[in-house]
Amino acid sequence: AALIAGSGLASHMAQAQANLNQAITNMEYARVTYERNKYLAQQHVVSDQIRDQTKAGYDVAKAAVDAMQANINAAKAAIASNEANVKSLQALQGFQKVYSPFAGVITARNVEVGSLINPSNSSNVSVISVISPSSVPPYSGRFLIPSRVDHFE
């Protein structure tokens, strides 16, 4: 398996969650203070200015919580994207190897090393031709290969 991020990822996410929890607590305190001052302003116990200041404090705290939550969601999306990218690349790695149904001798290589072969352009193209070693005279300049070929030059 591939490593998506360094070992600090879990601690960064935990710190971000702790910061969010603190911001939620601050927002709740600001909301309660605003609600109290709103009521007291209606009773003419505190000035409208104090009520407005506590409302502004609550709005700032709420915006901070929303921003932190958006940052956490963006980080989670980036992690998911990176994981999907790694899975895609791992799947592509599986196509790097050529497998022969039997051990034999390569007689023809019809595709250059590094070429991309996909179903749309490979309907009748053979990648390599392999024949049984018993049909090749000794020291013919050909190479014996096992039934699994990773690459050849």
Side-chain angles (χ1 to χ4, degrees), residues 36-66:
R36 183 180 319 113
N37 285 333
K38 179 178 162 185
Y39 173 77
L40 292 174
Q42 290 171 347
Q43 304 301 315
H44 303 291
V45 176
V46 298
S47 68
D48 290 343
Q49 179 181 0
I50 290 176
R51 180 202 62 211
D52 294 344
Q53 286 173 340
T54 55
K55 171 71 166 108
Y58 168 66
D59 291 343
V60 167
K62 184 171 181 347
V65 167
D66 292 344

Side-chain angles (χ1 to χ4, degrees), residues 33-102:
T33 302
Y34 164 66
E35 292 295 330
R36 183 180 319 113
N37 285 333
K38 179 178 162 185
Y39 173 77
L40 292 174
Q42 290 171 347
Q43 304 301 315
H44 303 291
V45 176
V46 298
S47 68
D48 290 343
Q49 179 181 0
I50 290 176
R51 180 202 62 211
D52 294 344
Q53 286 173 340
T54 55
K55 171 71 166 108
Y58 168 66
D59 291 343
V60 167
K62 184 171 181 347
V65 167
D66 292 344
M68 287 182 185
Q69 187 62 57
N71 287 342
I72 288 174
N73 291 341
K76 287 178 180 178
I79 290 168
S81 174
N82 286 337
E83 288 172 343
N85 190 32
V86 166
K87 285 180 183 177
S88 174
L89 292 173
Q90 286 173 334
L92 286 175
Q93 276 184 326
F95 295 110
Q96 286 181 320
K97 298 179 180 178
V98 176
Y99 297 96
S100 174
F102 56 87

